[in-house]
Amino acid sequence: MNPTFAASPTLRLSADGEVQLAGSWTFAGLRDHAGLRAAVRAQSPQARWDVSHAELDAVGALWLWQDWQGQLPAALRATEAQRTLWRDLVAAQAPAPTPIRRDALAPLRAVGRGALALLTQAQLVCMLWGRLLLASLHLLRHPSALPARELSANIYHAGVSALGITALVGLLIGVVLSYLSSQQLARYGANVLIVDLLGISILRELGPLLAAILVAGRSGSAMTAQLGTMKLNQELDALAAMGLSATLRLAWPKTVALLLVLPLLAVWTSALALVGGMLAAHWELGLSFGQFLDRFPRVVKLVHLWIGLGKSAAFGLLIGLIGCHFGLTAPPSSEGLGRATTRAVVAAITLVIVADALFAVLFSITLRPRP
Amino acid sequence: MSAPAVRLRGVSTRFGERVIHHQLDLDVQQGEVLALVGASGCGKTTLLRHMIGLTQPAAGVVEVLGVRVSPEQFLAQRGLRQRCGVLFQSGALFSALSVLENVALPLLERGGLGRADAAHIARCKLAQVGLAAEDGDKLPAQLSGGMIKRAALARALALDPELLFLDEPTAGLDPLGAQAFVALIAELRALHGLTAVMVTHELERVAPLLDRVAVLADRRVVAIGPLAAVRRADHPFIQAYFAAHDPQGENHGK
Ligand SMILES: Nc1ncnc2c1ncn2[C@@H]1O[C@H](COP(=O)(O)OP(=O)(O)OP(=O)(O)O)[C@@H](O)[C@H]1O
Ligand SMILES: [Mg+2]
């Protein structure tokens, strides 16, 4: 009674008109004998069929059932297992498709949903900010709970290991900026003004912005990926179940590390950009290093450095908040995590630039010429 | 007797200094269901990974369905892998795809089936492993532990493979689920040729399925044979293992 396995599929008409199937009526067997499906269709489903000697898999059973026009022959000889398989297949038929209703307001709704989603995100970031403040208060009262190891590890990863890339980018941007400006200034014979130009624009704008963008790409994305993976693996749940706060243990050290590290990185980037600028000014305008360094403290007010430092701290806070927020709220799937990481980087860089514009307006007073 | 479905000869595995397998031999015959048992961490999953061709042992030969598997020949051996189904210990479902898409994926990737047919078969497989129709639309993150096992089993069975590798298929299933699993495998064996290697800690639950049991200890297979014979084997680990299994000394042997 049992089918014989791994033989070519065959269809035979017996003397008394029974259609007999034997061999492998499976996907692998039928793939090499494509003509057999037509042979099945050529027979009437009303005939007497014997499949009990055929080896059958789900694909084979489905194809037979389809070739029988969606029903089992009335006179069918089959094993119990085969009948069960067909029963399962029939039960698993596609449900009738629900008609799609056209919605004229759909685009409007989509805009509304998008706006609401944005507001929800903003609300969640604010809540994270609040939780971080509460964590800081808690740390003020219980200094022993300070996650010092995490903090120093984050400072190392976000700061120390970013020194190389920020130096390179800063130096090159400094060279390029100085080179292009020199050519313009030389036409007006205003060579020495290159010092004023570079000093203010780099200390105040470029250094902090470059450092922030690089850190957002390096560390912001890493934070989101790390927290998102921890969420995917239920590590966040495990922390919570142990009574450890994910905010205090994970988000706080990451954000505070960026807050501390970004001003330092900005100074570092600015310094190298100025070195690059000085080099290019020397080549292009023949301005000696001595002249450059002599004029620099006289024309660049200290306030520009302070503004650069303050802005960098704010950028660090923003990048940390955004990176942690997207990590902690990442959907628990590989694709969702990838999307969250992209969003975190894009949102962080966008917000940094928006904040920079706001600061520019806010501190424009410091740019007034000296009396 | 036909050539074995899986043939391991002199397999040795090392992780750094740690030796997991040493000169291990094992044959899985065509058409049999073999259980692989052993202490936790003794290298059952590692051995299964060699058989699937995900890793290569430090020394020794691994032949599956007459072919020497090697990760280097991945593309050339694609067809071989499509004849095998794998249930990973922790499910390994694709988290970005719904349960139904997870099961339909191998069917679609193999080619030769339309989308509607692949979905039909996937729904059928889900029903066979005991998942409700509406579970098919869920994402893996929305499943319970037992449901993950069932969905992963459905995916392993999607292609109706000749050779099944199951890593703890009944762990996390309720007794009824384990019973249904046994019935399903028995049914598949009646339908088409099927060889299965299953790692298990729950011998008594799957006992009706088993042709042979292999015990992994001391970095090799210390006993292999029908359950009843293996229980009587004179090896300290086996004695302790079965004593712990049924302290009352009931006999589950076939
Ligand atoms: N990638 C790896 N690197 C280092 N060691 C590993 C690696 N994978 C497994 N091991 C070690 O190999 C040993 C065997 O692991 P394996 O996963 O095969 O155990 P197992 O027999 O399946 O156990 P269980 O029954 O608990 O699933 C373990 O000691 C484990 O620590
Ligand atoms: Mg294992």
Side-chain angles (χ1 to χ4, degrees):
Chain A
M1 186 64 180
N2 258 342
T4 43
F5 296 146
S8 297
T10 57
L11 180 147
R12 225 163 47 87
L13 270 180
S14 74
D16 56 351
E18 191 181 47
V19 191
Q20 297 176 336
L21 307 188
S24 303
W25 285 74
T26 59
F27 179 84
L30 289 172
R31 188 170 41 185
D32 304 331
H33 299 82
L36 275 178
R37 285 196 72 184
V40 170
R41 276 196 295 269
Q43 304 294 330
S44 155
Q46 270 68 51
R48 284 186 297 126
W49 291 76
D50 180 6
V51 295
S52 59
H53 297 286
E55 183 185 0
L56 214 56
D57 70 357
V59 176
L62 178 71
W63 281 348
L64 274 177
W65 181 72
Q66 286 171 347
D67 293 339
W68 286 328
Q69 287 141 30
Q71 59 183 19
L72 290 190
L76 173 69
R77 206 130 55 97
T79 65
E80 200 42 51
Q82 291 170 339
R83 286 188 184 280
T84 314
L85 177 57
W86 270 308
R87 237 191 337 267
D88 290 339
L89 270 175
V90 171
Q93 277 183 86
T98 44
I100 303 164
R101 276 191 299 121
R102 294 205 63 83
D103 185 0
L105 290 178
L108 199 62
R109 269 188 238 282
V111 171
R113 260 199 299 273
L116 280 180
L118 200 66
L119 282 180
T120 318
Q121 297 279 339
Q123 185 193 9
L124 286 173
V125 174
C126 289
M127 282 165 65
L128 179 61
W129 168 231
R131 287 210 303 274
L132 286 174
L133 284 182
L134 287 178
S136 308
L137 277 183
H138 177 84
L139 285 178
L140 278 182
R141 265 183 274 132
H142 308 89
S144 61
L146 181 81
R149 282 177 61 92
E150 286 89 342
L151 190 60
S152 81
N154 278 303
I155 287 177
Y156 179 78
H157 289 302
V160 179
S161 45
L163 285 178
I165 184 73
T166 45
L168 180 70
V169 171
L171 192 74
L172 291 179
I173 293 280
V175 168
V176 170
L177 189 71
S178 169
Y179 178 73
L180 291 179
S181 318
S182 302
Q183 288 184 335
Q184 304 301 318
L185 290 174
R187 284 204 285 173
Y188 300 101
N191 289 4
V192 285
L193 285 187
I194 188 78
V195 181
D196 313 39
L197 189 103
L198 287 182
I200 294 177
S201 62
I202 287 177
L203 274 190
R204 204 181 151 106
E205 285 298 325
L206 275 179
L209 214 53
L210 281 178
I213 289 174
L214 286 172
V215 166
R218 277 184 89 252
S219 310
S221 58
M223 284 177 188
T224 307
Q226 191 201 338
L227 292 179
T229 312
M230 290 183 78
K231 187 173 175 205
L232 191 64
N233 290 338
Q234 293 190 311
E235 291 170 49
L236 295 184
D237 296 347
L239 273 181
M242 288 175 209
L244 301 177
S245 151
T247 314
L248 186 59
R249 280 313 191 85
L250 300 170
W252 192 86
K254 286 183 195 309
T255 313
V256 172
L258 282 195
L259 180 78
L260 296 177
V261 144
L262 206 56
L264 301 178
L265 275 182
V267 169
W268 167 251
T269 315
S270 303
L272 276 137
L274 285 172
V275 169
M278 203 158 71
L279 286 172
H282 182 57
W283 298 325
E284 200 55 27
L285 300 172
L287 201 67
S288 77
F289 296 159
Q291 279 172 297
F292 194 102
L293 292 177
D294 181 49
R295 185 171 168 82
F296 191 83
R298 283 192 284 117
V299 295
V300 183
K301 286 186 285 180
L302 202 56
V303 65
H304 298 308
L305 176 67
W306 290 124
I307 289 179
L309 282 174
K311 286 203 310 191
S312 299
F315 294 164
L317 189 65
L318 262 180
I319 296 170
L321 267 176
I322 296 291
C324 292
H325 162 72
F326 278 99
L328 292 171
T329 58
S333 80
S334 55
E335 203 193 349
L337 182 53
R339 254 201 321 266
T341 312
T342 312
R343 278 196 196 156
V345 175
V346 173
I349 293 181
T350 313
L351 279 177
V352 160
I353 291 176
V354 169
D356 190 51
L358 288 180
F359 284 130
V361 175
L362 211 61
F363 296 126
S364 56
I365 189 163
T366 58
L367 278 177
R368 296 233 181 94
R370 267 168 215 246
Chain B
M1 197 189 286
S2 53
V6 179
R7 188 166 157 269
L8 304 184
R9 282 292 173 276
V11 166
S12 301
T13 314
R14 250 174 254 118
F15 287 116
E17 290 294 291
R18 262 190 59 136
V19 179
I20 309 289
H21 307 124
H22 181 68
Q23 294 288 320
L24 181 150
D25 296 337
L26 176 66
D27 279 342
V28 183
Q29 302 303 337
Q30 291 275 1
E32 78 168 336
V33 175
L34 177 86
L36 200 56
V37 301
S40 200
C42 72
K44 304 179 294 294
T45 301
T46 309
L47 199 61
L48 219 52
R49 288 174 64 86
H50 291 333
M51 298 188 204
I52 305 161
L54 295 176
T55 50
Q56 224 172 2
V61 181
V62 180
E63 273 182 23
V64 174
L65 298 171
V67 182
R68 201 171 158 168
V69 290
S70 84
E72 283 82 51
Q73 305 226 337
F74 186 82
L75 283 180
Q77 296 183 342
R78 229 179 126 229
L80 173 72
R81 284 162 202 253
Q82 286 180 342
R83 292 161 68 189
C84 302
V86 182
L87 167 70
F88 287 95
Q89 191 165 4
S90 53
L93 295 172
F94 302 115
S95 59
L97 302 182
S98 74
V99 171
L100 190 73
E101 288 166 336
N102 261 286
V103 182
L105 182 77
L107 288 161
L108 287 169
E109 287 298 315
R110 182 174 62 172
L113 268 189
R115 266 185 184 281
D117 287 354
H120 189 165
I121 289 177
R123 277 193 303 275
C124 176
K125 296 287 173 196
L126 285 180
Q128 284 179 337
V129 298
L131 285 175
E134 62 267 21
D135 293 334
D137 297 327
K138 290 189 177 142
L139 287 173
Q142 299 164 328
L143 298 183
S144 75
M147 285 159 83
I148 290 176
K149 261 280 129 79
R150 288 164 195 255
L153 178 65
R155 189 178 70 180
L157 295 175
L159 297 180
D160 284 307
E162 287 164 57
L163 188 50
L164 257 182
F165 297 105
L166 307 170
D167 203 344
E168 305 201 3
T170 53
L173 291 189
D174 57 273
L176 289 176
Q179 218 169 47
F181 163 77
V182 169
L184 177 60
I185 298 293
E187 199 173 281
L188 290 177
R189 288 180 88 185
L191 280 171
H192 54 80
L194 179 72
T195 309
V197 182
M198 64 173 87
V199 172
T200 183
H201 290 302
E202 300 172 314
L203 271 181
E204 64 283 3
R205 279 185 169 186
V206 293
L209 274 181
L210 299 179
D211 295 307
R212 290 196 302 163
V213 177
V215 183
L216 206 58
D218 304 339
R219 306 187 200 113
R220 61 197 172 89
V221 177
V222 290
I224 183 165
L227 182 53
V230 166
R231 305 175 73 92
R232 287 192 302 270
D234 187 22
H235 186 279
F237 172 74
I238 298 179
Q239 292 307 321
Y241 186 85
F242 285 105
H245 248 274
D246 41 16
Q248 295 88 27
E250 318 160 39
N251 196 358
H252 289 291
K254 256 173 60 150

